Amino acid sequence: MTEITASRQSLLLPDARTRSRNAAEKRFRVYGMIAIGLAVLALCVLLVSIVSNGAGAFQQTFITLDVAFPEDKLDKNGNRDPAEMAKVTTFGYAPLIKSAINARIQAEGIEIEGLKKPERMISKEAAAQLRNFVLSNPEVIGETRRFEVLASGRVDGYFKGRVTAESAKRDKNISPEHLVLADALKNAGALETRFNWKFVTWPDASENRPEASGLGVAILGSFYMMLVVLVLALPIGVAASIYLEEFAPKNRFTDLIEVNISNLAAVPSIVFGILGLAIFINFAGLPQSAPIVGGLVLTLMTLPRIIIPSRAALAAVPPSIREAALGVGASRMQTVFHHVLPLAAPGILTGLIIGLGQALGETAPLLLIGMVAFVREYPDAPPEGLFDPATALPVQIFNFTQRADPAFVERASGAIIVLLIFLLITNSVAIYLRRRFERRW
Amino acid sequence: MPLYWLVLIILVIAALGYVLGRSRALRQAGGNQRLLHSLPSFYGWNVALTVMTPAFGLLVLWLLVQPIWIERSVSATLPESAVAEGSSRDLVMSDVRRIAGGLGTLGVEVDQITDTDGLADLRSALGAVGVAIGSDIQLGVLHAAESYRQKTSDLQTYMWIAVILAGLGGFAVAYLVTDKDFRARNSVERGILIVLIAAASIAILTTLGIVLSMLFETRNFFAAHPWQDFFLGTDWAPDFRGGSELAILPLLWGTLYISLIALLVAVPIGLFAAIYLSEYAGGKLRAVAKPAIEILAGIPTIVYGLFALITIGPLLRDYFALPMGLGESSSSVATAGLVMGIMLIPFVSSLSDDIINAVPQTLRDGSYGLGATQSETIRQVVIPAALPGIVGAILLAASRAIGETMIVVLGAGAAAAQFDRGLGHLVNPFEAMTTVTVKIVSQLTGDTDFASPETLVAFALGLTLFVITLALNILALWIVRRYREQYE
């Protein structure tokens, strides 16, 4: 009989080696969970940071004023000749605003010690706004009209918590007294902060008037570029994938194309910008900052990213479909265009939309072809508008980040929210199409 | 007349050709479709395509060649005296082009302008239509401009005639060969196949365009700046007044250092996330976590750039760099590297996920059968089997990191690494350090002069970047192909 030694443990209790192996197992799982946690955390921090910084861009502070339009200042000869009236520059309109806000302060009975230059609370854009209004409505001269003008970026920042009495002391553009006045005007109902659609529709504004800057030109420019990409990349991409998937013989030329496509998909985007600058602008002489050049560059960049999913979609159509068509006498071309292509269309469309989404967010190549320019004019309708200067949404974001006024950080984050909303829409459409139409064979 | 009209005319001829070709074929067959070789619409398409191909081909060729030819011939007639001291023929030619454009709008008689007064009047008249000329116009330049304008408008007329004739010629040929035995389908399908091949060849043309455009300008750069200085020098100090130090090493150091940090963040997180998702996670977690990680891949890089600029940069500066006394800049290697790492997580994880899933279940079952735990199986069986693919994924991620632009433009700073400040400066992650891509952007934006080495260096940098990323991509593909296990 063998003796059962006392040191022998029960089989139900794990020994030291098993315990350490189980601990290692547990640790390994924890690493995995930490990794996923970190990735999701990064996503959340990113989104929260952008949204919390950018939500304010959609709110803007406005001041309501009664502006008088004296005839002796705006139309000395009194003949309402538009050419003569246009000679009064925005500097001629600044005094109107000054007197309007002083009148308003008196009317509300606000008295603040040490208040100087209350007109600094109003955006410099307001003078231009009044001038445009008068030039298009000459009949208001001699009258007084109620106007809603933008408050300056600092006053706006005060209501969004960016500017405080502390920081105003050190700021030459605004003083703590202005902030007291802003509160008083708000209580009197002359000043309000509300949702501002114009952030999306207005063009960009200069360095020192962040409150008037918007994304209108950039959105239009991006839209034009996407139009160019769609018109060029869809047919070319589909044609290339049909050739490679359905007709290409196995030879060196085909291999060369395939290697090129897979490499182009991995070439850094900035290299495409260099290509655009050298070929489209310096060699072909196309204008700088034009959506057509941006569209061409993005097309070349997006093509491989469209061809790869399109080929996958074509390859997923089972050979039986082709054989059936060929069997009833269709030519190979008819087989492809009548049967294979329609069945692959949802997959191709999904790839196209995702490719367009990537092109929409691309910035680096556009910097090199002059899209960073400051553009205030809306481009014309296509096709002429494709050659007009414009910016693009991601480049506009970059432009905002390069400016000194902290209000532009808020604008940049706000613009990113707009960009992300566009991307969300395109990607949801892609997912919907895939769910709705994709067939499993 | 604008070009659209010409295009429209050709399209109209083509449409007409379609109708006529189709009806001619039907007529020849006596209205009986069955006697035709192909379907009637193929006869129509055949005519339409034969109209459009030569016409549009000629149009595109003409538009490409015409400006070059006019430029050459006008530049040759430009007298040597018209090129002022300190100016170049190119600059004068750009004046010539602009004056020619202005003359077209003004419609003045150039022959009547002979003295300096007339030239001054012309200059102010040009200014009024938006053509501002920097210096006084010389008579030689004016005549060159007039001949430029004349040649352009003449050639424009010839082009219209030639293109329309080409279209009509195509129409005549195709219409006349149409009869009931003509193999129209084969002819049309051959045409379509050529279009398909042309579309596929654009990939080759693009690569060729990239390489040639950069090679050409790089050659100009090396003519103005010694290549030894570019590749072996240690200073980056561009100076537009001349005497710049343009060496790639400081930029390359910044690029590689930032990419290294990015990979140190992305590879462990991405790899462990992929392992957990494919081996451990239940359906619910997978359904939430996988799309969440993929969202990171869909976010544009400018968003990451802003995130680095306004959130991560100040965070790292206030909580790490300043307390440790390592630096006071919010844009730093660590900022850019960390954010780029976040960007690369989904890249590493989705590629690794695919590769891990491709390892056959039988290998795992064998390992479990021998008593291994799940993590032992993963570490000792699944990962070694998937290793070539994972290494390939990491190399692709590295090539992404090296070519990334917006994050480093906004997060890494503009100062190049300085080798003479010692190792402590070079390896300090909280130091601002610039990269190859940042310098490409800064040298090529704004006012650029394509004769100065300070601008041309961007092309040499771009070519280097292209070569490095290409090498990494090819290496990645080669590793995957060479070491991939083939499972049945």
Side-chain angles (χ1 to χ4, degrees):
Chain A
M1 277 293 267
T2 45
E3 213 177 320
I4 298 168
T5 48
S7 66
R8 201 73 180 266
Q9 280 189 339
S10 154
L11 275 176
L12 295 174
L13 288 174
D15 60 13
R17 189 171 144 75
T18 313
R19 269 204 303 276
S20 87
R21 285 176 66 196
N22 285 346
E25 171 72 29
K26 216 172 261 168
R27 277 201 305 276
F28 196 77
R29 274 178 192 237
V30 170
Y31 295 152
M33 281 199 287
I34 289 175
I36 291 178
L38 282 176
V40 174
L41 180 76
L43 176 69
C44 294
V45 172
L46 175 76
L47 291 180
V48 167
S49 139
I50 296 293
V51 170
S52 65
N53 271 303
F58 295 92
Q59 301 271 323
Q60 204 65 50
T61 308
F62 293 89
I63 299 179
T64 315
L65 295 176
D66 294 315
V67 185
F69 296 101
E71 184 162 14
D72 56 328
K73 291 267 173 52
L74 303 179
D75 191 17
K76 282 183 186 126
N77 302 331
N79 54 10
R80 303 286 186 271
D81 177 11
E84 265 179 46
M85 282 163 58
K87 279 187 186 147
V88 182
T89 59
T90 49
F91 287 109
Y93 285 82
L96 307 186
I97 294 168
K98 190 176 170 182
S99 50
I101 184 150
N102 279 324
R104 181 87 203 204
I105 293 170
Q106 277 185 352
E108 302 292 348
I110 302 167
E111 276 179 32
I112 295 159
E113 206 163 314
L115 175 69
K116 281 180 216 141
K117 298 194 173 176
E119 70 274 12
R120 283 218 170 150
M121 295 186 47
I122 292 171
S123 166
K124 294 190 175 100
E125 189 72 16
Q129 184 195 345
L130 289 189
R131 181 169 180 267
N132 291 342
F133 179 75
V134 170
L135 289 183
S136 52
N137 305 292
E139 71 277 5
V140 300
I141 290 182
E143 293 173 20
T144 299
R145 284 286 176 98
R146 176 149 285 206
F147 253 96
E148 201 166 52
V149 294
L150 282 167
S152 79
R154 302 298 152 103
V155 173
D156 184 50
Y158 173 58
F159 290 107
K160 291 171 184 167
R162 195 172 55 233
V163 174
T164 58
E166 270 307 300
S167 75
K169 267 185 202 160
R170 286 175 274 120
D171 195 332
K172 67 178 169 45
N173 288 318
I174 198 157
S175 65
E177 290 78 28
H178 283 120
L179 301 182
V180 179
L181 174 60
D183 277 331
L185 283 176
K186 186 166 191 175
N187 289 336
L191 182 149
E192 73 169 326
T193 304
R194 59 178 159 76
F195 188 77
N196 178 29
W197 255 120
K198 299 201 167 91
F199 174 58
V200 182
T201 56
W202 263 342
D204 194 9
S206 67
E207 189 107 3
N208 45 22
R209 46 186 91 162
E211 63 278 0
S213 63
L215 303 172
V217 174
I219 291 176
L220 214 55
S222 273
F223 175 71
Y224 283 5
M225 283 195 289
M226 290 307 109
L227 219 59
V228 174
V229 175
L230 184 69
V231 166
L232 291 176
L234 177 64
I236 296 177
V238 171
S241 17
I242 288 178
Y243 176 72
L244 292 174
E245 204 56 44
E246 303 285 336
F247 295 103
K250 270 256 152 256
N251 60 18
R252 287 227 164 159
F253 181 68
T254 310
D255 277 351
L256 188 67
I257 295 178
E258 304 228 8
V259 168
N260 265 303
I261 288 175
S262 57
N263 273 325
L264 281 179
V267 165
S269 59
I270 185 129
V271 170
F272 285 95
I274 298 180
L275 169 82
L277 179 66
I279 304 270
F280 297 129
I281 292 180
N282 284 355
F283 180 72
L286 288 171
Q288 284 213 336
S289 322
I292 181 86
V293 180
L296 285 171
V297 169
L298 291 180
T299 301
L300 292 182
M301 211 188 75
T302 319
L303 262 180
R305 300 176 187 177
I306 292 180
I307 292 176
I308 293 168
S310 298
R311 289 188 60 179
L314 287 170
V317 176
S320 57
I321 304 274
R322 295 185 186 82
E323 282 150 15
L326 292 172
V328 294
S331 71
R332 284 178 70 195
M333 209 56 91
Q334 285 168 326
T335 306
V336 171
F337 282 95
H338 295 177
H339 303 283
V340 180
L341 193 57
L343 289 172
I348 293 176
L349 217 57
T350 312
L352 175 79
I353 293 171
I354 291 172
L356 279 180
Q358 285 175 344
L360 181 66
E362 195 55 64
T363 322
L366 303 181
L367 295 181
L368 300 191
I369 56 167
M371 303 292 278
V372 269
F374 177 71
V375 184
R376 261 194 77 92
E377 301 287 318
Y378 293 99
D380 289 342
E384 283 89 357
L386 295 179
F387 294 86
D388 287 349
T391 56
L393 201 44
V395 184
Q396 187 70 58
I397 296 168
F398 173 72
N399 257 346
F400 283 156
T401 64
Q402 299 299 299
R403 296 181 189 169
D405 195 320
F408 279 115
V409 170
E410 176 194 279
R411 300 312 250 204
S413 305
I416 282 183
I417 295 177
V418 175
L419 179 65
L420 289 182
I421 289 174
F422 279 129
L423 288 177
L424 196 68
I425 294 172
T426 54
N427 284 314
S428 318
V429 170
I431 290 170
Y432 171 77
L433 283 176
R434 185 154 54 192
R435 292 259 164 88
R436 176 78 179 73
F437 293 106
E438 196 176 48
R439 285 169 78 167
R440 295 251 164 241
W441 303 94
Chain B
M1 263 201 288
L3 214 53
Y4 319 118
W5 284 102
L6 185 57
V7 174
L8 207 67
I9 290 174
I10 297 298
L11 288 180
V12 167
I13 299 176
L16 225 81
Y18 177 86
V19 175
L20 291 177
R22 189 176 181 278
S23 65
R24 177 177 162 106
L26 275 176
R27 210 168 45 245
Q28 296 232 336
N32 187 351
Q33 265 198 40
R34 277 177 301 170
L35 297 177
L36 289 173
H37 168 270
S38 315
L39 290 171
S41 63
F42 278 114
Y43 291 92
W45 277 117
N46 183 45
V47 180
L49 285 177
T50 332
V51 169
M52 287 193 286
T53 315
F56 287 138
L58 187 68
L59 181 65
V60 168
L61 204 68
W62 197 297
L63 287 178
L64 284 179
V65 173
Q66 176 181 316
I68 301 172
W69 186 80
I70 293 182
E71 189 89 19
R72 284 257 172 84
S73 65
V74 171
S75 181
T77 61
L78 201 62
E80 205 57 48
S81 63
V83 183
E85 195 69 24
S87 182
S88 72
R89 199 163 271 270
D90 282 351
L91 285 176
V92 178
M93 274 313 290
S94 85
D95 268 357
V96 168
R97 272 194 300 275
R98 289 168 57 223
I99 297 173
L103 288 176
T105 1
L106 281 177
V108 285
E109 286 293 324
V110 171
D111 296 341
Q112 288 167 11
I113 300 171
T114 45
D115 53 354
T116 43
D117 282 351
L119 286 172
D121 285 349
L122 180 68
R123 187 179 163 196
S124 55
L126 285 174
V129 291
V131 183
I133 305 297
S135 55
D136 285 330
I137 303 168
Q138 292 192 19
L139 217 51
V141 175
L142 180 64
H143 288 302
E146 175 59 17
S147 90
Y148 190 98
R149 192 189 66 80
Q150 194 62 43
K151 279 186 175 138
T152 312
S153 85
D154 285 354
L155 279 178
Q156 204 78 355
T157 319
Y158 295 145
M159 181 181 80
W160 273 69
I161 298 171
V163 168
I164 291 180
L165 278 181
L168 289 176
F171 173 78
V173 170
Y175 186 73
L176 291 177
V177 298
T178 301
D179 65 37
K180 68 179 170 48
D181 292 325
F182 178 65
R183 298 159 74 85
R185 182 176 60 73
N186 307 42
S187 163
V188 169
E189 289 187 349
R190 207 177 311 121
I192 294 177
L193 190 65
I194 290 171
V195 171
L196 296 184
I197 294 175
S201 310
I202 284 183
I204 298 179
L205 285 182
T206 311
T207 311
L208 215 63
I210 289 174
V211 172
L212 285 185
S213 63
M214 289 200 296
L215 265 183
F216 186 70
E217 299 285 8
T218 304
R219 208 195 56 194
N220 288 347
F221 170 66
F222 285 137
H225 193 90
W227 64 267
Q228 294 94 333
D229 281 8
F230 178 70
F231 286 114
L232 303 173
T234 54
D235 269 330
W236 174 269
D239 187 340
F240 277 95
R241 284 161 303 182
S244 326
E245 296 282 346
L246 302 169
I248 196 175
L249 283 181
L251 308 182
L252 216 50
W253 172 254
T255 301
L256 294 179
Y257 194 14
I258 291 174
S259 306
L260 179 75
I261 292 183
L263 290 179
L264 286 180
V265 172
V267 171
I269 295 183
L271 203 55
F272 269 109
I275 290 171
Y276 193 83
L277 283 179
S278 58
E279 300 286 324
Y280 290 107
K284 260 188 197 164
L285 180 65
R286 214 179 140 82
V288 175
K290 207 171 150 61
I293 292 177
E294 274 167 9
I295 288 177
L296 281 174
I299 291 177
T301 54
I302 179 79
V303 180
Y304 286 106
L306 192 74
F307 182 54
L309 185 74
I310 64 176
T311 309
I312 298 292
L315 196 85
L316 287 181
R317 181 193 55 197
D318 294 345
Y319 291 95
F320 294 93
L322 285 179
M324 290 195 287
L326 286 173
E328 53 243 4
S329 158
S330 73
S331 46
S332 65
V333 172
T335 306
L338 184 62
V339 175
M340 204 189 280
I342 295 174
M343 182 194 82
L344 291 176
I345 290 172
F347 199 73
V348 175
S349 83
S350 69
L351 282 175
S352 311
D353 196 14
D354 293 346
I355 296 156
I356 291 171
N357 278 332
V359 174
Q361 187 62 29
T362 48
L363 288 188
R364 292 186 186 86
D365 292 345
S367 173
Y368 296 148
L370 291 171
T373 64
Q374 212 171 349
S375 67
E376 285 162 352
T377 306
I378 293 166
R379 271 179 301 179
Q380 290 163 19
V381 177
V382 177
I383 296 291
L387 198 59
I390 291 173
V391 171
I394 293 172
L395 286 178
L396 285 178
S399 122
R400 262 290 175 92
I402 288 171
E404 175 48 45
T405 309
M406 290 325 291
I407 294 176
V408 286
V409 165
L410 291 174
Q418 290 156 300
F419 284 116
D420 47 9
R421 277 180 58 191
L423 198 64
H425 160 74
L426 288 182
V427 298
N428 179 0
F430 296 106
E431 196 82 54
M433 223 175 261
T434 197
T435 69
V436 175
T437 47
V438 174
K439 285 302 154 194
I440 294 177
V441 170
S442 68
Q443 301 308 102
L444 283 182
T445 44
D447 290 326
T448 47
D449 164 17
F450 282 90
S452 73
E454 287 76 20
T455 300
L456 290 175
V457 68
F459 291 92
L461 292 175
L463 192 62
T464 316
L465 185 70
F466 181 72
V467 170
I468 293 175
T469 52
L470 193 69
L472 278 176
N473 293 337
I474 292 176
L475 183 67
L477 283 179
W478 182 78
I479 288 179
V480 170
R481 283 201 188 154
R482 174 76 178 73
Y483 293 102
R484 186 174 47 195
E485 302 280 343
Q486 292 288 352
Y487 302 108
E488 238 345 277

